[in-house]
């Protein structure tokens, strides 16, 4: 008998044994535990409320991204970030047209008629525009351009350059007659000039083009803008911060202070000095906006008096008052008040008139008026002939003075201490200070 025969005979018994139902030894324990446990409610099953297909689709694993593709994407993102950082580091940051800024270079005209740039930190100078007959250099409010007049046959050419004198453009299509005022618009896109014939013009600062003549809309309204040939800045004409309005002095036997839209439309009187017992005729008004555009300063004499004082009022003509009041028994004649960059102070030059007579006048140093208190204090030296110009530094810490004597020696006066230093530069005409962005 073979082994196969033995297995064949025993196969039925094995199958019967395997087929028989058997109960595990631990079956009774399982029944005892389940009987003691409460059945779970049907509402707790997610399948009762949501299709399981929605859950499984959300829980499905994200497809695997090849590591080479992920690396390439990361490199591209890194390159883009580096490009943005490099571009940002090269972008030129420009100062706001009004308010405090950092001090750049000082521009002036030397005795030969060259436009000169001086570094107040080192006293070094460079020539921005050579030649005879250059005058009235003015930095744009953003510090990125220079404008000045150049003498030509038949008048003056209006010239704009870069801050170092490069890229010269003559923006006046025809020679200008005598100019009594020159300044930039707050956006540094236009140059405004007032001609002695009363025409107020706006020139495109980037190219030669026919100017916008505001006289057509203002009529023969303008007698003066700002203070004439004296450190004019954008705030002497254009209202801060956007320059949407302009400030001029109206014509006539009773000059008025007038505000108009930038294009010359909608002129309206904000102050009739005669009604306030004042007279603008003596000094032409010397009107200027405060750096925030909320106030106007000007010079005026009381009716029947020839000596001017500095007045301040709100932009609509309300709140008229003297910037400071002289002690009883004293008389002063003031001129060309200049707003500090933060708008809290005025700098003014003044003569004290003993006995109300010009025969007994005493010139004071530049006076700094604290507008909050109405107090005044002198800073710097006293110059018998006054100043050809004076102006605040962009950061408000110094007064740049050009004495009116024969020395032409420029002075930098520290407003806090009153002490002065003299760069080795000479000029007899107004100087201007470049506004730059703080580092």
């Amino acid at each position: 008998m073979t082994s196969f025969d033995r297995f064949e005979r025993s196969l039925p018994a094995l199958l019967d044994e395997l087929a028989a139902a058997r109960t595990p030894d631990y079956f009774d324990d399982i029944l005892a535990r389940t009987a003691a446990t409460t059945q779970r409610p049907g509402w707790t099953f997610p399948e009762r409320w949501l299709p399981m297909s929605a859950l499984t689709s959300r829980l499905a694993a994200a497809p695997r991204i090849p590591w080479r593709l992920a690396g390439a994407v990361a490199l591209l993102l890194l390159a883009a970030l580096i490009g943005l950082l490099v571009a940002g580091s090269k972008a030129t940051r420009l100062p706001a047209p009004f308010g405090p800024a950092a001090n750049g270079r000082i521009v002036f005209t030397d005795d030969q008629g060259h436009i000169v740039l001086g570094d107040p930190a080192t006293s070094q100078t460079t020539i921005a525009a050579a030649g005879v007959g250059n005058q009235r250099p003015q930095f744009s409010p953003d510090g990125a351009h220079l404008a000045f007049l150049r003498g030509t046959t038949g008048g003056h050419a209006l010239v704009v350059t870069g801050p170092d004198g490069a890229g010269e453009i003559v923006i006046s299509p025809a020679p200008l007659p005598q100019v009594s005022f020159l300044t930039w618009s707050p956006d540094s896109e236009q140059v405004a000039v007032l001609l002695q014939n009363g025409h107020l013009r706006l020139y495109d600062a980037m190219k030669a083009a026919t100017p916008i003549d505001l006289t057509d809309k203002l009529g023969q309204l303008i007698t003066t803008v700002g203070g004439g040939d004296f450190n004019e800045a954008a705030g002497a004409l254009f209202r801060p911060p956007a320059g949407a309005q302009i400030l001029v002095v109206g014509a006539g036997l009773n000059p008025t202070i007038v505000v108009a839209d930038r294009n010359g439309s909608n002129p309206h009187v904000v102050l009739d000095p005669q009604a306030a017992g004042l007279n603008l005729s003596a000094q032409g008004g010397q009107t200027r906006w405060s750096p925030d555009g909320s106030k106007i300063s000007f010079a005026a004499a009381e009716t029947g008096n020839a000596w001017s004082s500095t007045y301040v009022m709100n932009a609509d003509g309300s709140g008229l008052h003297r910037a400071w009041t002289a002690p009883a028994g004293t008389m002063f004649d003031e001129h060309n008040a200049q707003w500090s960059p933060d708008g809290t102070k005025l700098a003014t030059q003044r003569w004290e008139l003993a006995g109300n007579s010009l025969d007994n006048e005493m010139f004071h140093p530049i006076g700094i008026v604290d507008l909050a208190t109405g107090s005044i204090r002198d800073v710097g030296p006293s110059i018998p002939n006054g100043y050809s110009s004076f102006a605040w530094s962009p950061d408000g810490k110094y007064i740049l003075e050009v004495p009116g004597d024969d020395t032409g020696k420029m002075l930098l006066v520290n407003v806090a201490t009153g002490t002065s230093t003299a760069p080795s530069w000479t000029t007899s005409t107004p100087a201007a200070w470049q506004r730059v962005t703080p580092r």
Side-chain angles (χ1 to χ4, degrees):
M1 180 180 295
T2 64
S3 58
F4 180 81
D5 293 333
R6 290 195 300 271
F7 176 77
E8 184 178 11
R9 289 182 179 181
S10 60
L11 180 60
L14 290 174
L15 292 176
D16 290 338
E17 183 180 355
L18 290 175
R22 293 186 302 169
T23 302
D25 298 335
Y26 50 82
F27 183 72
D28 293 338
D29 295 332
I30 293 175
L31 289 177
R33 289 191 179 187
T34 56
T37 303
T38 304
Q39 185 177 0
R40 178 180 174 185
W43 61 265
T44 62
F45 291 88
E47 303 93 64
R48 185 178 181 89
W49 308 101
L50 299 174
M52 291 307 295
S53 59
L55 291 176
T56 54
S57 63
R58 291 184 182 181
L59 297 176
R64 297 184 60 187
I65 300 176
W67 68 267
R68 289 185 179 86
L69 178 59
V73 171
L75 289 175
L76 288 175
L77 291 176
L78 180 60
L81 177 61
I82 293 174
L84 290 175
L85 292 175
V86 171
S89 65
K90 291 183 178 180
T92 302
R93 296 175 59 235
L94 302 176
F98 301 102
N103 301 335
R105 290 169 295 181
I106 295 171
V107 62
F108 59 95
T109 305
D110 67 10
D111 296 336
Q112 285 73 46
H114 304 316
I115 303 296
V116 180
L117 300 173
D119 185 340
T122 64
S123 291
Q124 294 181 344
T125 60
T126 57
I127 295 178
V132 178
N134 296 318
Q135 55 183 282
R136 297 179 182 275
Q138 290 284 340
F139 276 110
S140 58
D142 62 11
H145 293 89
L146 269 173
F148 59 91
L149 296 174
R150 172 175 294 155
T152 62
T153 302
H156 297 84
L158 184 54
V159 181
V160 171
T161 72
D164 297 313
E168 180 178 301
I169 304 173
V170 177
I171 63 173
S172 53
L176 301 176
Q178 190 63 35
V179 175
S180 61
F181 176 90
L182 184 153
T183 195
W184 285 83
S185 63
D187 56 15
S188 299
E189 295 181 356
Q190 292 178 311
V191 178
V193 296
L194 176 66
L195 307 180
Q196 285 192 348
N197 61 12
H199 283 259
L200 179 61
R201 298 176 180 175
L202 300 179
Y203 284 86
D204 189 315
M206 297 297 108
K207 63 179 182 296
T210 302
I212 301 171
D213 197 322
L214 304 185
T215 311
D216 294 338
K217 293 184 178 180
L218 292 172
Q220 296 301 314
L221 183 66
I222 303 170
T223 58
T224 185
V225 175
D229 185 12
F230 197 90
N231 277 106
E232 298 310 346
L237 176 62
F238 298 96
R239 183 177 184 176
Q245 293 178 307
I246 58 175
L247 178 65
V248 298
V249 175
L253 296 177
N254 176 35
T256 56
I257 296 179
V258 177
V259 171
D261 293 342
R262 179 166 171 166
N263 63 2
S265 62
N266 190 33
H268 57 283
V269 175
V270 294
L271 182 69
D272 180 350
Q274 189 174 42
L278 300 176
N279 179 13
L280 301 183
S281 298
Q283 301 300 330
Q286 301 170 4
T287 51
R288 289 177 178 83
W289 294 101
S290 63
D292 64 358
S294 67
K295 299 183 183 301
I296 297 171
S297 66
F298 62 96
E302 293 181 348
T303 301
N305 194 340
W307 321 131
S308 293
S309 299
T310 300
Y311 289 84
V312 176
M313 64 181 179
N314 295 324
D316 61 1
S318 64
L320 176 67
H321 64 280
R322 280 191 178 183
W324 70 283
T325 302
T330 61
M331 178 70 68
F332 286 86
D333 191 23
E334 294 183 71
H335 305 281
N336 296 300
Q338 310 277 334
W339 288 89
S340 63
D342 63 4
T344 63
K345 302 177 181 66
L346 283 171
T348 180
Q349 66 174 341
R350 58 201 177 119
W351 282 261
E352 185 174 355
L353 306 168
N356 198 26
S357 172
L358 287 175
D359 296 331
N360 298 306
E361 63 177 348
M362 178 182 67
F363 183 72
H364 279 248
I366 294 298
I368 305 298
V369 181
D370 186 325
L371 293 171
T373 63
S375 61
I376 189 170
R377 62 185 179 89
D378 292 339
V379 297
S382 177
I383 307 297
N385 293 325
Y387 298 101
S388 296
S389 74
F390 63 93
W392 291 85
S393 62
D395 64 4
K397 296 180 180 179
Y398 297 90
I399 301 291
L400 171 63
E401 301 178 353
V402 178
D405 54 26
D406 296 333
T407 63
K409 199 73 171 179
M410 214 177 296
L411 298 174
L412 296 179
V413 179
N414 187 303
V415 174
T417 65
T419 58
S420 61
T421 57
S424 56
W425 316 327
T426 58
T427 184
S428 58
T429 59
W433 212 319
Q434 181 186 28
R435 298 166 55 82
V436 294
T437 301
R439 295 180 180 178

